């Protein structure tokens, strides 16, 4: 009876292992089919599943003689899934990733800047008090809002007194606010989609000009094939060359609707010559519309990004608690070298 039960459990585990390994590998096919890209954003979940599977196999190691073939198959599948996803996920965590402290770069990077990027979800988000409390607590220097809308303009009107410098993202319901002077606003459009717009602006901090780029890319899934094409064009033909050819310190933030392991995001990151601010601070899934916390920390997708030029050091990267949106806000602390304005 025990032998039969063990066999059933292990063969069922083998089936789950096949599905897990398929999902882990399918994410690499996002360049071939946009539906396969859906699998790439859950690598943190796949990694935890493989760890759980390996743990269960070790727990029943003594029962292995009852079904040696099924046990070995389960071990091979779980181990393969662990390796595939571990290679992609673990470099975002210490000790594989180096974390910079403010003290270690105080002399070379004396300027510190806190920046928030938040997709507010427009009028569907009614948790005004919680959002305001979060913004006041974080006390950021520069904030980029997308899916902003008239309702939030009314909500935040009085709070804007703390941020005298503001610019509205043209025809897009996006907004950049700053405690420091803003200049050289450059709105750009690279696709026909309403979300295919980019805003670049320079923030003047003690004479140093820091380029901040805000972007909300089209959804590659919800907006169909044209959204997929527009997002890819925006990343590769818009953001990548703009970032690569902009001199001086640069920070790019926004909802790019592409997870860390999307093949298109990889291409964009390589072409842009930017560093991912998440490295050293974990995957931090920011999109949680399908699940509720705390499962969001495992099942969510990391699609809200912050990338910086190589001369900018990242001191911290973290997410907000749920604030009524289907996205969590991204909060980054940066250290920037002081240089004369361009």
């Amino acid at each position: 009876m025990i032998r039969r039960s063990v066999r059933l459990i292990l063969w069922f585990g083998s089936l789950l292992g096949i599905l897990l390994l398929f999902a882990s590998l399918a994410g690499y096919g996002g360049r071939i089919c946009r539906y396969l890209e859906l699998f790439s954003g859950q690598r943190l979940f796949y990694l935890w599943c493989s760890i759980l599977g390996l743990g269960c196999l070790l727990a029943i190691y003594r029962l292995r003689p009852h079904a040696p073939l099924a046990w070995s198959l389960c071990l091979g599948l779980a181990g393969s899934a662990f390796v595939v996803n571990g290679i992609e996920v673990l470099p975002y965590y210490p000790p594989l990733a180096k974390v910079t402290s403010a003290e270690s770069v105080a002399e070379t990077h004396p300027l510190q800047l806190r920046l928030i990027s938040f997709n507010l979800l427009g009028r569907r988000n009614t948790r005004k008090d919680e959002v305001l409390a979060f913004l006041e607590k974080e006390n950021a220097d520069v904030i980029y809002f997308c899916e902003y809308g008239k309702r939030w303009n009314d909500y935040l009107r009085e709070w804007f007194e703390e941020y005298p410098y503001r610019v509205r993202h043209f025809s897009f319901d996006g907004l950049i606010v700053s405690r420091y002077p803003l200049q050289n606003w450059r709105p750009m459009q690279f696709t026909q989609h309403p979300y295919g717009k980019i805003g670049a602006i320079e923030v003047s901090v003690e004479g140093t000009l820091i380029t901040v780029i805000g972007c909300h890319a089209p959804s590659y899934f919800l907006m169909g094939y044209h959204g997929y094409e527009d997002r890819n064009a925006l990343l590769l033909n818009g953001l990548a060359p703009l970032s690569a050819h902009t001199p001086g310190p640069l920070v790019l933030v926004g909802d790019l609707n592409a997870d860390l392991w999307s093949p298109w995001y990889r291409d964009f990151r390589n072409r842009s010559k930017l560093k991912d601010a998440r490295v050293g601070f974990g995957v931090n899934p920011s999109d949680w519309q399908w699940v509720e916390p705390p499962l969001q920390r495992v099942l969510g997708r990391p699609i809200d990004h912050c990338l910086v030029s190589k001369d900018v050091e990242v001191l911290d990267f973290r997410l907000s608690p749920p604030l009524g949106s289907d996205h969590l806000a991204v909060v980054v602390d940066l250290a920037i070298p002081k240089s004369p304005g361009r």
Side-chain angles (χ1 to χ4, degrees):
M1 183 66 180
I2 294 178
R3 176 175 296 183
R4 184 177 181 182
S5 298
V6 170
R7 284 179 177 176
L8 287 174
I9 292 172
L10 288 175
W11 284 115
F12 180 71
S14 298
L15 177 61
L16 294 179
I18 292 172
L19 295 175
L20 176 61
L21 187 57
F22 169 80
S24 302
L25 297 174
Y28 292 113
R31 200 184 304 276
I32 303 171
C33 173
R34 67 187 177 96
Y35 294 106
L36 291 178
E37 190 176 334
L38 289 171
F39 291 100
S40 69
Q42 311 294 334
R43 293 200 179 278
L44 183 60
F45 172 65
Y46 303 153
L47 181 62
W48 278 112
C49 287
S50 65
I51 293 173
L52 178 63
L54 291 171
C56 291
L57 288 171
L58 292 176
I60 62 171
Y61 179 78
R62 292 183 180 180
L63 301 176
R64 181 177 59 89
H66 294 296
L69 179 59
W71 192 89
S72 300
L73 180 59
C74 283
L75 180 64
L77 291 168
S80 298
F82 174 80
V83 170
V84 169
N85 295 292
I87 289 173
E88 302 290 357
V89 172
L90 295 180
Y92 286 90
Y93 294 87
L96 296 182
K98 178 184 176 182
V99 178
T100 302
S101 65
E103 293 77 13
S104 65
V105 295
E107 293 186 7
T108 57
H109 295 68
L111 304 179
Q112 294 193 15
L113 191 75
R114 175 168 294 176
L115 191 145
I116 292 177
S117 174
F118 189 20
N119 184 331
L120 282 165
L121 194 63
R123 66 177 61 188
R124 288 176 287 175
N125 186 351
T126 59
R127 291 161 65 173
K128 165 192 170 185
D129 294 338
E130 293 176 57
V131 172
L132 285 174
F134 164 75
L135 295 175
E136 291 173 359
K137 176 185 176 183
E138 293 296 343
N139 195 31
D141 299 302
V142 179
I143 305 175
Y144 170 64
F145 296 109
C146 55
E147 294 193 29
Y148 175 66
K150 183 179 181 301
R151 175 178 291 180
W152 278 100
N153 191 60
D154 296 336
Y155 284 164
L156 301 176
R157 190 182 302 276
E158 295 182 2
W159 177 77
F160 279 155
E161 295 178 0
E162 300 183 25
Y163 292 86
Y165 305 98
R166 301 183 293 274
V167 63
R168 188 75 177 267
H169 208 306
F170 70 117
S171 69
F172 170 53
D173 283 344
L175 178 73
I176 296 176
V177 299
S178 172
R179 298 185 190 278
Y180 297 104
L182 301 175
Q183 62 186 55
N184 296 334
W185 168 240
R186 290 175 287 163
M188 289 158 278
Q189 183 170 356
F190 293 93
T191 73
Q192 296 301 315
H193 196 280
Y195 284 172
K197 298 180 175 67
I198 299 171
I201 200 164
E202 292 176 348
V203 182
S204 178
V205 182
E206 298 182 20
T208 297
L209 294 181
I210 305 161
T211 301
V212 175
I213 301 175
C215 177
H216 185 191
S219 170
Y220 70 94
F221 182 70
L222 297 179
M223 297 177 183
Y225 183 76
H226 291 295
Y228 174 74
E229 290 287 299
D230 284 349
R231 183 210 61 179
N232 298 338
L234 182 68
L235 291 176
L236 301 182
N237 301 332
L239 287 175
L242 174 64
S243 303
H245 296 107
T246 298
L250 181 146
V251 184
L252 188 154
V253 291
D255 173 8
L256 301 186
N257 269 305
D259 62 74
L260 293 176
W261 307 286
S262 160
W264 302 104
Y265 177 79
R266 291 178 193 269
D267 288 350
F268 152 69
R269 190 178 59 192
N270 292 333
R271 295 185 190 182
S272 69
K273 302 178 182 179
L274 299 179
K275 301 185 299 184
D276 196 321
R278 273 183 168 86
V279 174
F281 303 97
V283 170
N284 284 295
S286 58
D287 173 37
W288 64 291
Q289 58 185 324
W290 307 115
V291 291
E292 295 290 333
L295 289 178
Q296 175 271 333
R297 293 294 182 177
V298 176
L299 292 173
R301 298 177 301 151
I303 65 174
D304 297 272
H305 297 274
C306 175
L307 299 100
V308 299
S309 54
K310 296 186 185 300
D311 55 347
V312 176
E313 296 291 344
V314 181
L315 305 178
D316 193 18
F317 182 107
R318 60 189 182 277
L319 300 177
S320 71
L323 297 171
S325 173
D326 56 349
H327 293 253
L328 303 180
V330 170
V331 185
V332 289
D333 291 329
L334 305 174
I336 299 167
K338 194 169 185 179
S339 61
R342 298 188 296 276

